[in-house]
Every structure is written in C-alpha cells, then in structure tokens.
Amino acid sequence: MILGCLLADASAKAEDGYDLWLRYAPLEGEALDRIAGLHGPGAVISSDGPAEASATMEAARRELGVGLARLSRNSTSRLRSGAKGYVKLDCPESRGDGDVGYSVRADGADIRIRGSSDLACLYGVFALLRELSLEVDPVRIDIASEPAMPLRMLNHWDNPDGHVERGYAGRSIFDWWHLPERLDQRMIDYARANASLGINGVVVNNVNARAFMLEPRYIAKYKRLADAWRPYGIRLYVSVRFSAPKDIGGLDSADPLDPEVRAWWQAKADEFYAAVPDFGGFLVKANSEGQPGPQDYGRSHSDGANMLAEAIGNRGTVIWRAFVYSAEDETDRAKQAYGEFVPLDGQFADNVIVQVKNGPIDFQPREPFHPMFGAMPNTKLMFEAQITKEYLGFASHSAFLAPMWEEVLDHGTGRGGTVAEMVLPAGMAGVANTGSDRNWSGSHFDQANWYAFGRLAWDPELPSEQIAREWTVQTFTREPEAIEKIVRMMMRSREAVVGYMTPLGLAHLMDTGHHYGPAPWVCDLPRPEWNPCYYHRADAEGIGFDRTASGSDALSQYADRIANRWDDPDTIDPRFLLWFHHVPWTAERPSGLSLWEELLNEYDRGVSEVDAMAREWTDLFDAIDPQRHRAVTESLAIQQREARWWRDASIAYWQSLNGLPLPENVRPPAESLDAYIGRTFPEAPGQ
Ligand code: GCV
C-alpha cells in the first residue's frame, strides 16, 4: 500500500525536464499489451554470459530494467538468465573499444541485442528502448546500426570557475572545486544521456583554456570523471593552452620546435596517460582571438599540432581548431581559415584532426558550408557545430538546429562528396548547451539540439524531421496530433529565426560582446571584423558583401561547380544572396519583387512564423504536462517580442540608409531608430 502510494505520487510529479528524452513514459493500450507480452507480469530480463559483468554491461542491464519497468508500468523487473520471452544481451562482457555496432532483432518470443563489445550492447539497449518508446511492435524490431564516424564528441566551453562561455543554462555542470573527492550524480546522468545517443568523447573545458588545468591536481579530477564515464563509453579530452610550458612549466618559450618544450609536453602527456589510460587527447585553439599558438614563434599550425601529436603518440588524438582570424586580414574574415590551413594539407600527423566550424565565419543562423570541407583531401577534418545558440537567441528563442546541420552536411562540396562524406573519417564535435539548470539546456526545446547533434553524429543521413519526431515522442507526448504540431513547430523554427534576424544571407548583425539582439548600426569598433557594418556593407545604394571576383573573391575558395552556381545574384540560392553579393535595394529579383521588398517579406515571415508557433503551442495545453507547457509558453512570448525587436530595429536602420518607403501592407517599426540604438541591457544574460 505504501509502495503503491509512493509510485502514484512519483507519476503525478510535475515534469521539470531533468529526465531529458529518457523519461520512458508508460505505454498504453495495445503498445502496453505488446510490451507486457515481452516480459509480462513476473517476467524477468535475461542475459547470456558470465555472472561477472563489466561496468558497461551492468549499465546496459540497469538501463533495460529501468526502461522496461517504466514503459510497462512494472516496477518489479529484475535480471535472471535463461528465461523465455525476454531481452537477451549477446555481447562480450569485456570492454571493446573497436566495434560498437549492434543489432536488435526479435528472435521468436525474445529480443536479442548483439554486438562485439559490451558498449555495443549498451547502445543496443538504448536503441531498443527508443523503439519501444516510439510504440514499435517488439516482434517487428529489426535494427542493425553502427556509427558513421569514429569521434562523436561534445566540446564544453566551461571555465574552471563555473562560468560557461556562451552558456545559457546556468553554471557549469563540472564541479572542479570538489572533485576528485565528490562526484556529482549529474556526472553519471550526463554520461548516460550521452551514451543514449552514442556520443563517445567529451572535452571538459573551454577552448579559451587556462594553463593551470594541466596541473597534477586537475589530472586527479579528470581521472575521477574518466573512471565514472568509462562504463558509458565516454573518453575524456582536455583543451590546452599552447603557452602552458611557459605559463606553468617554468620554460621561457612555447616554441613547438624547441626540444625543451617538446620534452615538457611529452612528460605532460605521460602524466595524463598514467592517470587516465584511455585519455582521449588535447583540443587546441591557437592563434585565434588572442590565444597563443605556434605562429607566435613563426611556426605553422602543423608544427604546433604535430608536436602535441608526437607527445600523445598512438594513445590519443590532437584536435586542432581551424577557427582562426586576426586583425591583419582586413579583406575578408571568411577567407582566413582556408588561407592558413589548405596549404598545410598532408602535413598533419596521423593522429591530428583539424576541427572546422560548419561555416566560414562563426555559427551564424545561416552560413554556406565552410570551403575547407573537400579542400584538404589528405587531412582528417572534423565538423564543429554549436549546440548552444550563441547567435540564435540563446535559450530563450526556440530554434531546432538539425535542419541547419543537415543543410550543411548534405551539401555537395563539388570536390568528390558531401560535407558529411568529408568528415566521415574523423567525426563531429558540438559545442555543448548544458548547464546547471534543472532542465540541463536552459529550455525544454533546447534539449532537442543536444539530442539531434548526437543522433546526426551517429548517422548524418538521418532526416531532421525523423529526429524531431522521435525526440518529441520520447520527451513530450505520444498523442498523434500533438506530435504533428510539435514537429511542425520545430521544423520551421530555425528558418523563422533566420527570417527575423539575418534574412537572405545576411550575417553577424547582433549586438557587440553579448551577441544578443540587433545592432546592424555598429560600425566603429576598433577591429573592422567586429562590426556588423563590415558584414552587411549596406549604404544608400545597396546591401550585402561582394565575395565574387569583383569583391573579396572568397567565392574562389569553393569548387568551380559551386562557385559558378553562386556567382550570379539571379541564380544563387536566395538564402545565400547577400553573403556573396552586394545588391542594389531597388534591383528587380527573379521573383518580380525588388530586393527591398523581398527583405521585408522575410522579416515578416520570420515574425509570423513565431506567432504561429506560439498559437500552436497554446493549443497543446491538454497534451503537455502543465509545468513544461507553461515554461515553453513563456519562452515563446519572449521570442515573439524579440522577433519584433529584431525586425523593427533592422528595418528602421536599413530605411535610414536607403530612404525607401515601406509598402502599404508592411507595418512600420514600433519605435524610432534612435530608440533602438539607445537601448541598453545591463541585465542581459551572456557575456
Ligand atoms: C570560445 C566565437 C565566440 C567565442 C568563442 C569562439 C571560438 O567567437 O563568441 O566565445 O570562444 O567563437 O569558437 O573559439
């Protein structure tokens, strides 16, 4: 009786989002009957293999127990061997790093999960539970899956003091102060969530790294974390500051060709591997935004990366970021990474991966794919996505990012394959959006971006709509109409943000520093490429950055096939128009409208999409638990207000340059341009 009360109480508990997509909400009706048939009342989950299980197999069994119990409302599931009608885990009990592909198949009355490593079975369990959550009939389950790429990792921009650079979900989840003695339960829950997606690497600290995070006291903390994450198949990586030999090593140089410097890194790597034998390796941001690097000594990126690669040897990987830009290159920031890295193709050691952002500037709401993809056939390139939405309204605007990543991954490079194909030998990294907020991501819908990143890193061919649907079912509801509504909202959400923030290929129009809200009028910051004016180049005549041969010629960094298509403002995909072309405001577009009219339409489309999302969400009142329904309602209200702010402030500014009237059906900005320019936000989140 008491137990019954407790369970009833637990199920009535308000949902706060902590369980992410791993809620395993109880099935009902036929779906419940089918799973009850699978391990009906009094039934047990079986496992082949010896009694002594690896920690990974223990985690797999535990997950299966919890998942099936919750899905079937049966809290009494337990493990036993040899029974009929159960889920069988058919994997070696020992850790195998190599093959993590699995199959999940109905086998008579049983379901058999097979793989050649214990991690394969853990992944298979998560896949089975996902299918069951999606109400797939157990007897029809027939999946064989393996990851498309070896590295599927999160990059945390978390600082040791608990502040997260570009983090919008509270403080850092890593409690460095109390580690190694205290390991927060969140660290296990985090690993479990990652494992459910197949994420297998985590860089625990900001790429703007502090050298002291390489000291022995930190290595002890990493060991504790790595030990906790190992059962979930997660290897730990650390961002390093290139000048560490000087900062903490007592040397007077960090020159990568200096034998003393090389010896220092060798000893440092050995120290790491002595504590953490499966340590993943180092991530480096060098000679970018003030970070030290090999160029400080007249050396190249490959000199720097290869020095670290030698220290690590075949024990791990050096991931070297291609996100570089400097004040000297004033012609076009979008060209710099290609210019610095492509000539080094073939010069990086085998255990070096060059990590490239999805687009050539910086995680804008829309960018064309980065021209480095396809241009370095002899270098392993990894795809860097930003899950945290630095430029898409933080956690207060809803934008499902899978369609954006899909747009880039599926794009042909014109150099022998799509972007996804170019990164298959290396992998994908996502800048994490996690924080100490109870819902992990700052908003319920932002959890979907973590989920989508993991799913795409496992299989970049998964359609974003499928990802949205499976996430919705696991996270919110199995009610068919509600699912359709939510998926529709998600699928248009990013395009809505592009509409009201940066339509038709515009970029980098946000306010300085904190990167929130519009400020296209900012033109006087000391470095040219800090200014929105540098990117939009708007004047009385027109708007857009000429990147054709008559301008910066960034277009020539793309394969001819692509460049030819994008060279003509009339034939280029209009979504990239002003990225590559400076177009007169009054130019007649193939649509028959002027550029000015097209631009205004895009702003209005963005705003009305958000209004539609808010309306649809209101209609879902009965389908979603009240706590989460209310939280999303409130976020959407913020987004509606701020979409108008973006639209109105932008239009007011463009009008101040072009002097053009607004067509009759276009609502004038609510306030004057001066009022928008004069706004200050001492209370703004971010940095
Ligand atoms: C970690 C952008 C962000 C920075 C970030 C940088 C990077 O410039 O605004 O906060 O620094 O990208 O990717 O290194």
Side-chain angles (χ1 to χ4, degrees), residues 157 165-166 208 285 289 321 323 357 362 390 515:
W157 287 357
E165 183 159 344
R166 313 306 177 187
N208 292 328
K285 170 176 176 177
E289 298 188 314
R321 293 179 85 229
F323 175 72
K357 287 189 181 181
D362 190 11
E390 176 181 357
H515 293 176

Side-chain angles (χ1 to χ4, degrees), residues 9 344 463 552:
D9 192 45
L344 299 175
S552 79

Side-chain angles (χ1 to χ4, degrees), residues 197-231:
L197 306 171
I199 287 172
N200 66 351
V202 168
V203 185
V204 293
N205 61 322
N206 192 351
V207 288
N208 292 328
R210 304 294 299 272
F212 67 74
M213 291 191 84
L214 294 174
E215 287 174 355
R217 67 199 169 101
Y218 267 87
I219 296 178
K221 299 172 197 284
Y222 304 142
K223 174 177 166 40
R224 182 79 201 273
L225 276 185
D227 289 346
W229 289 348
R230 193 165 295 115

